[in-house]
Amino acid sequence: MVSTFSRSLSRKKVMSNDGMVIGTLKNVMVDLDSGQVIDLIVKPDSTFDATGYRIDGDRMLIPFEAVKDIKDYIVVDRFLSKSPSA
């Protein structure tokens, strides 16, 4: 994946690879030792069923390895986004 500045990600919509709007990116979680992005912190859309996803308060945590593309939207693989126990 091409490098992207974090400021260009601010408030981007997150969409699944099957066209479903998941929510809006609020922040990212980064491993401070390696500098690698670990999770996207997303505010779920009111119409999105977040069952099976990792939730922290009113935010969803989507693993960065689920990200498939970053352009107008952040596109994630819906199945890789879910919690392994779901």
Side-chain angles (χ1 to χ4, degrees):
M1 186 175 298
V2 177
S3 295
T4 303
F5 287 106
S6 60
R7 68 178 160 257
S8 71
L9 299 176
S10 178
R11 285 178 259 159
K12 244 186 214 296
K13 291 287 185 186
V14 179
M15 177 180 280
S16 67
N17 54 344
D18 59 358
M20 185 180 303
V21 175
I22 294 174
T24 305
L25 182 70
K26 290 299 179 185
N27 211 336
V28 293
M29 192 174 299
V30 177
D31 180 319
L32 294 178
D33 293 327
S34 69
Q36 295 292 316
V37 176
I38 299 169
D39 290 313
L40 303 180
I41 302 173
V42 177
K43 179 179 181 189
D45 190 75
S46 60
T47 62
F48 184 73
D49 179 12
T51 304
Y53 290 83
R54 288 186 303 147
I55 303 292
D56 185 11
D58 63 344
R59 303 290 193 247
M60 287 176 34
L61 301 172
I62 297 178
F64 188 71
E65 54 264 4
V67 174
K68 296 300 174 194
D69 199 12
I70 300 174
K71 291 200 173 142
D72 293 336
Y73 289 88
I74 299 171
V75 179
V76 298
D77 183 303
R78 191 167 54 123
F79 298 105
L80 292 176
S81 301
K82 287 195 172 190
S83 178
S85 61

